[in-house]
Amino acid sequence: RASSGGVSNIIKVTVSPAVLLSFDYEFYTASQVNVGRSVNFSVRAFDTYGNLKTDYNGPLVFSSTDNKAALPTDDRSRWIGGKKVFSTTFYSESLQTVNVSDLAGEINGSFNLNVVDTIAPSIPAVSSLTHPSNATYYNNNNPIFTWSAADTLGIYAYSYTLDKNATTQPDLIVDGFANSTSYSNIANGTWYLHVRAADNSVRKNWGSTSHFKIKIDTSKPKTYAKKTSAKRPSKKSVSKYLKLSKSYKIKAKTKNKKLRKRYKKLAKRYYRKYRLALKQIAIVNLKWKVRDLYTGNKAIVRLLIQRRFKSKSRAKRKARYKKLYEAYKKKYYNTRNLRLRKRYKKNAAKYKRAYKKINIYYYKTIKRPRYGSTSINSWRTYRFKTKKPGVYRYLVYATDQAGNSQQSIAKASIRIK
C-alpha cells in the first residue's frame, strides 16, 4: 500500500508456480515392508525454485525392479496442492526400487524400499482319500495323505511325522517337497499326522502345525456263546401262579404305599408266570459276547437261533448202510475164499464209512435276532421264548465298525425240557 496526499494505492501481485522440476516422497510406514502387504506413500511435485507446485495434478507413471509388484496408476484425481497418496504391494524380497516419472518421461525420480517376508505360511489343510473321517475306524492300514498350504511367496517344503501323540510338533527339517505321503502296514489304533510348511522366503519361515487323526482296525472281532438249558413250566404250576397273582392283587389294596408298590409288582410277576405256564412257554437266557479292542465298544451283532430236527430219509439210509455193512462183515468171516474175502472186506469198509458219514439230524433257523450297532466287550443276554421241547443251538455273528467280520462263529447248544 502506498500513500500520497491522502490517497492510497493497492497493488495486487499474483505468483504462479514455476515449471515442474522434481518429486519427493513421504512414507507412512517403515522403510522395511513385508511381502504381500500394501505400503502407502505420497508424492510431492516441486518447481524450479524448490517450491511446492500446487497446480500439478499428474499423471505419474510408475515402474519397479519387482516385476510382480502391484503398482499404482494415476488417474489425475485426488491431487491436493501438488501432493497425492499412492499405494503399492511388493511380491519379491530384497531391496526394491520404485521409479516415478511424468507422462512425458522428462521428470524422473525414484525411491528404495527393503522388502522382506516375516509372515509364516498358512496351516496345511490335510485330508485322506483312504481315511476321510477322523471319527471312523477303517480296516485299511496303508493310509494316504494329501495337504495344501498357502503363502505369498509360495511353499518351499514340508516337515511331517506320523505317531500316536495328538500334539506332536514336527522338527524344522525338510521331509519332502511334495504335498502328499503314504504309509504301509500301520498298526491298529489311533494315529495322528502332523504337518507344517516352510515358505520360499530367504528366511524359510515355518508355519504352524496341522494335526490329522485317523483310526485303523484290521483285527477281527471274537464271538463267544454259553451253553444253556431251560425247563417248561408244568401244568400243575398254572393254578399256583394264578392263585399267587390274585392273592397279591388283593394285598395291593393296602394303604401302606411301600407295601402297595411291592404287592403290585409281585402280582404282575406271578401273572406273567401264570400266562407262560398256561401256554407251557420256556424262557431261556442266551449269553453272548463280542470282544474287539479298537472300535469304541460298538459292533453290528446278529444271532441265529436254530432247532434240531431228525431226517427220516437220512435215518433210513443210515440204517440200510448199517445193515449192508453187517452183512458184508458176516460174509467176510464166513468164507474161506481169499478173493471173496478181499471183496467182502472192501464192501464192508465202504458201507461203514457211508454209515458214519450220514448225520440224521439237521438244524433249521427259527429266529434271527438283529441288534444292529450295539455295545460289546461285555456279556449280553437275549431272552428266547419257546413252547416246543428239544435241542436247539444259537450262533453269534459280529461285524465291527471297520467292516471286519468275526474270526469264527460262536455256537452253543440249548436244551428245552
Side-chain angles (χ1 to χ4, degrees):
R1 173 178 291 187
S3 178
S4 176
V7 179
S8 296
N9 295 320
I10 299 173
I11 302 172
K12 186 177 182 181
V13 179
T14 301
V15 179
S16 298
V19 178
L20 177 68
L21 178 67
S22 64
F23 303 112
D24 82 343
Y25 317 97
E26 182 180 2
F27 297 97
Y28 298 96
T29 183
S31 60
Q32 179 172 290
V33 297
N34 257 301
V35 170
R37 296 290 178 90
S38 62
V39 56
N40 295 327
F41 63 94
S42 63
V43 178
R44 295 188 299 175
F46 290 88
D47 61 18
T48 53
Y49 297 106
N51 298 315
L52 191 64
K53 188 171 174 52
T54 57
D55 63 345
Y56 185 76
N57 62 351
L60 296 180
V61 178
F62 296 89
S63 64
S64 173
T65 53
D66 182 2
N67 294 329
K68 299 178 182 178
L71 296 171
T73 57
D74 185 7
D75 59 359
R76 306 191 72 173
S77 64
R78 295 191 299 279
W79 279 90
I80 302 173
K83 177 180 177 181
K84 183 176 179 178
V85 178
F86 297 92
S87 177
T88 187
T89 304
F90 296 94
Y91 293 98
S92 300
E93 282 189 291
S94 74
L95 186 66
Q96 302 294 347
T97 300
V98 177
N99 302 306
V100 185
S101 67
D102 63 355
L103 188 61
E106 295 174 351
I107 308 300
N108 299 288
S110 66
F111 61 87
N112 297 321
L113 283 173
N114 187 26
V115 182
V116 297
D117 184 8
T118 60
I119 302 171
S122 66
I123 298 176
V126 186
S127 62
S128 173
L129 289 174
T130 55
H131 300 71
S133 172
N134 57 21
T136 303
Y137 278 92
Y138 297 91
N139 57 12
N140 181 352
N141 62 350
N142 301 310
I144 300 173
F145 302 96
T146 57
W147 55 81
S148 62
D151 187 83
T152 305
L153 293 179
I155 300 300
Y156 169 68
Y158 298 94
S159 175
Y160 49 85
T161 185
L162 182 71
D163 62 22
K164 292 194 172 185
N165 188 345
T167 59
T168 297
Q169 296 293 325
D171 55 31
L172 305 183
I173 299 172
V174 173
D175 290 308
F177 299 95
N179 63 340
S180 65
T181 190
S182 61
Y183 296 88
S184 300
N185 300 319
I186 300 300
N188 292 329
T190 301
W191 292 84
Y192 298 87
L193 180 75
H194 316 279
V195 186
R196 67 195 308 182
D199 63 19
N200 269 317
S201 67
V202 175
R203 303 182 182 199
K204 296 293 183 286
N205 300 305
W206 285 94
S208 299
T209 302
S210 177
H211 310 279
F212 188 82
K213 180 171 72 172
I214 63 169
K215 294 181 177 182
I216 295 176
D217 177 20
T218 58
S219 65
K220 296 182 177 182
K222 194 171 183 181
T223 56
Y224 302 86
K226 287 184 178 181
K227 183 170 67 174
T228 186
S229 62
K231 206 173 191 179
R232 293 181 303 157
S234 64
K235 290 183 178 180
K236 293 179 181 179
S237 62
V238 174
S239 58
K240 181 182 77 173
Y241 291 141
L242 182 60
K243 186 177 179 181
L244 284 168
S245 176
K246 287 181 177 179
S247 172
Y248 282 113
K249 194 173 181 180
I250 294 169
K251 287 182 179 181
K253 294 178 181 179
T254 181
K255 293 181 179 180
N256 187 312
K257 288 184 179 180
K258 190 175 180 181
L259 289 175
R260 185 163 68 243
K261 186 177 179 181
R262 184 190 299 173
Y263 293 150
K264 280 183 178 181
K265 188 176 180 180
L266 288 169
K268 287 180 180 179
R269 180 192 297 176
Y270 284 113
Y271 184 73
R272 283 195 300 268
K273 287 180 176 289
Y274 156 73
R275 292 292 301 273
L276 293 171
L278 190 65
K279 297 179 181 180
Q280 288 194 290
I281 295 175
I283 297 179
V284 193
N285 291 326
L286 308 183
K287 300 283 187 180
W288 62 268
K289 181 180 178 181
V290 176
R291 186 170 176 268
D292 190 271
L293 299 177
Y294 298 104
T295 50
N297 294 323
K298 290 282 185 179
I300 298 172
V301 180
R302 63 187 178 94
L303 308 181
L304 283 187
I305 301 174
Q306 300 176 332
R307 186 182 175 195
R308 193 177 76 173
F309 293 89
K310 184 177 180 180
S311 171
K312 292 181 180 180
S313 61
R314 290 184 191 178
K316 286 180 181 179
R317 195 158 70 250
K318 190 176 182 76
R320 183 166 65 85
Y321 289 152
K322 184 179 180 182
K323 189 175 180 181
L324 286 168
Y325 160 69
E326 290 175 345
Y328 279 111
K329 183 181 176 182
K330 187 176 181 181
K331 285 182 180 181
Y332 170 76
Y333 285 113
N334 289 341
T335 184
R336 292 182 178 180
N337 187 308
L338 293 177
R339 186 171 61 84
L340 290 176
R341 279 172 66 89
K342 186 177 180 181
R343 182 189 300 172
Y344 295 153
K345 183 179 180 181
K346 184 178 179 181
N347 287 337
K350 181 179 75 173
Y351 287 114
K352 185 179 181 181
R353 284 194 302 271
Y355 166 77
K356 287 185 174 181
K357 190 176 180 180
I358 292 177
N359 185 359
I360 63 173
Y361 297 103
Y362 67 94
Y363 285 89
K364 186 177 180 181
T365 301
I366 58 171
K367 200 162 188 180
R368 301 172 184 267
R370 296 179 183 271
Y371 283 87
S373 181
T374 188
S375 299
I376 58 171
N377 292 324
S378 61
W379 284 101
R380 302 279 300 276
T381 301
Y382 178 78
R383 288 168 64 85
F384 170 58
K385 297 179 181 179
T386 182
K387 57 183 177 181
K388 294 181 179 180
V391 178
Y392 297 75
R393 73 178 181 184
Y394 67 103
L395 299 82
V396 184
Y397 297 82
T399 304
D400 64 21
Q401 293 184 43
N404 302 304
S405 297
Q406 70 284 333
Q407 295 179 25
S408 58
I409 303 168
K411 300 177 185 177
S413 64
I414 311 167
R415 291 191 176 271
I416 308 295
K417 297 180 181 178

